[in-house]
Amino acid sequence: MRGLNFSTKFALILSATALVAVGVIGYWLSSISLEVLSQNARNFYEVVARDVKSRLEEKTGTIGRLLLEARGIFADPELPTQTAYGFISEGLKRNTSVNALGVYDVEGNFVDAFAKTAQHNLPLQLPQALVDSIRVVPDKAIIWHTTRLAESQIPVIPIAIGYTRGDGSRGILACVLDGAELSDFITRASKEAFSGLQDRMYIVDDSLRLLASYDTLALRKQQTLVGKGIFREITNSSQISFTRDAVASKEYVGLGGEQMVGTYISITEIQSALVIEQPAALVYRSVNEMRKSVIFGLVAVGTAAIVISFAVARQLSRPINQLLEASDRIAEQDFEYRLDESRSDEFGTLFRGNNRVAAELARYQQMNLNKIVGTRNKLESVVRQASDGFIVIEPNRSVFVLNDVFARWFGVDSNNAEGRSFLDVLPDYDLKQTIMDAFTGEETHIPVQFTLQLVGEANETVVKGTFVRVMNDNQLTAVMGVLRDVTREVAVDKMKTELVSIVAHELRSPLNTIRGFSDLIGKGLDEDETKEFAGIITSEADRLNGVITKFLDINRIESGRTDLRKIPFRIHEVVQNVIKVNMPLAEAKQMTVETDIPLSTTPIVGDPDLIGQVMLNLFSNAVKYSEPSKTVTVEVIEGATEMRVNVIDQGYGISDSAKEKLFTKFFRATDDARVNQHVGTGLGLAFIKEIVEKHGGEMGAESQLNVGSTFWFTLPK
């Protein structure tokens, strides 16, 4: 656009603005519609999914009730076998959800069946893991994982319960949720919800293989959806978990390569998930039509905008050309040229302004003040944009300039400060006294430091700097102050001093003990006393070494010099192993250890040895700081995105004030005098907190004095 004049550019800009405005509005409206349609679709899918899930759960509940009823009939010792069989057959006829009920021996081998038809899908052998589970929980109907009786055969879900006959014989009763029946069920549900379309729903098991689908061929192929479709983010079977309620809606590329909008909901009863989906093109059809209308609107508006813009631009060309001519005259230092000031529009204002500028330039040309103005502007710009506090005071005690940083520190209104006496402007007495000393004293540089309490900030701010007497030909021309925020540096120095003091205190006690007993040994003792004192020296030396080692371990972890192993492990195994190895600690104090730990957890990645140290520290602390005969409880909880471990004791407890410093190096919560009966360095909690945070987790504690404490940590999955 370099070769175009202003009016042409203006016309093009107006046209472009109109086009952009229409385009943005159209795109905004279509985006809103797209979002609304997407949300409505997802809401509809979720409602349908929950309805189908409820019906499926009712189906499994009906099967469970049938099994419980059959188990009760078998257990009645007064019923003859033939009568019992008749009752069970009648119950099966009334139950529309079950076609057959199988009788198995205690090893899971098929014995007999009650069936509505000659054909049934009962397995000849129940899965061994299901049989083992029934042995552990014989009184509860167990819904097992999806089972495939043979390759290319539709899968089933066994549901079984143990029974004991009146004569003492035992066995297993089992039914199955047939994949073919489930396929018919969701096909009907799809037709009801989507106006006769039968392919909008399918069910997958906990290995993401098809369990139910209108497509029987795909069902028999046992097709897996790991890393595909709505499950594209799941890359391996360890990430699959349908043991808790979950609903997820998203857009994705379907199995046929088409963009889809779908929702899946977990069916915890059968450890499966129901998927409902539709092509995105069908969902967003109305938005695509709107976008076509926007394109046609852009063409029409663009044409009208171009015509109108060029007409307006022609009216602007004449006064603009006059302004250009006036600018050329000023550039040639011809300040006598004047524009017509009779216009009443905006250009008339511009013309009058241009004429005033020409007159002022003519006056400034005589005064030659350009250099002075430029120098002052540069100085003020540097001072005002400086990150340090800055103030300059003239010999008559008036403020020449101060920046916003200085004004904020000392509560000064910077807009009204310049030109007024610093005695009236500055509220801080020590600051005014320092400036007065600079005016009246002989020292060129006066170092200063102020501790300030700024409005809205809880902590004090420390500023440090120098006030300088600026001299010219032995005459005082100004007093300049430059201050810098040194709050962080002061805090760091204080922390270093406190750390040295704490470390010296922790090391002095064992060193004094070692020295005292060494002196006694040196004076000559009998053999038994020598051995006793030598043992004490060894114990104190080990304590001293432990303090130093743990402190160095913390520093290595904080500085990143300790390499964390990154291997998969199961947190429940680490916790159980620590409890097992250290159970003698609790037994020595007649304490009870209760656990709530899952039989299996999802593997996580990290260093199991270091996590074991975390668990060991929390468990040993719970035992150490509790009275005998108390209870320690250990819980492992698997969440959606993290693992959580709780160690709960009935010990001494910790006050609210102590909890704020609980994970600080060398700190020990001594609210209860009984804590001092136990040896400790105050480094253990700081050490394990660093370990947990290096694994990307969090650690914390809740406690109440004389009631007990709960220490917990989480690790990401």
Side-chain angles (χ1 to χ4, degrees), residues 498-508 551 666:
E498 291 177 351
L499 181 58
V500 170
S501 175
I502 292 172
V503 171
H505 174 76
E506 290 294 329
L507 299 182
R508 183 182 294 115
F551 186 70
F666 298 105

Side-chain angles (χ1 to χ4, degrees), residues 90-108:
E90 287 298 322
L92 181 62
K93 290 178 182 179
R94 293 193 305 269
N95 195 312
T96 59
S97 299
V98 183
N99 291 325
L101 187 152
V103 182
Y104 296 80
D105 61 20
V106 292
E107 299 300 325

Side-chain angles (χ1 to χ4, degrees), residues 14 29 31 114 141 165 228 276 281 299 362 378 422 459 461 476 479 502 525 571 594 611 618 649 658 703:
L14 284 178
L29 291 175
S31 298
F114 299 90
R165 297 291 300 272
K228 301 176 183 178
I276 300 178
V299 174
K378 289 180 181 179
F422 76 88
N459 298 322
T461 299
L476 180 66
V479 170
I502 292 172
L525 301 170
I571 187 67
E594 297 181 352
I611 298 304
L618 295 181
D649 64 51
S703 183

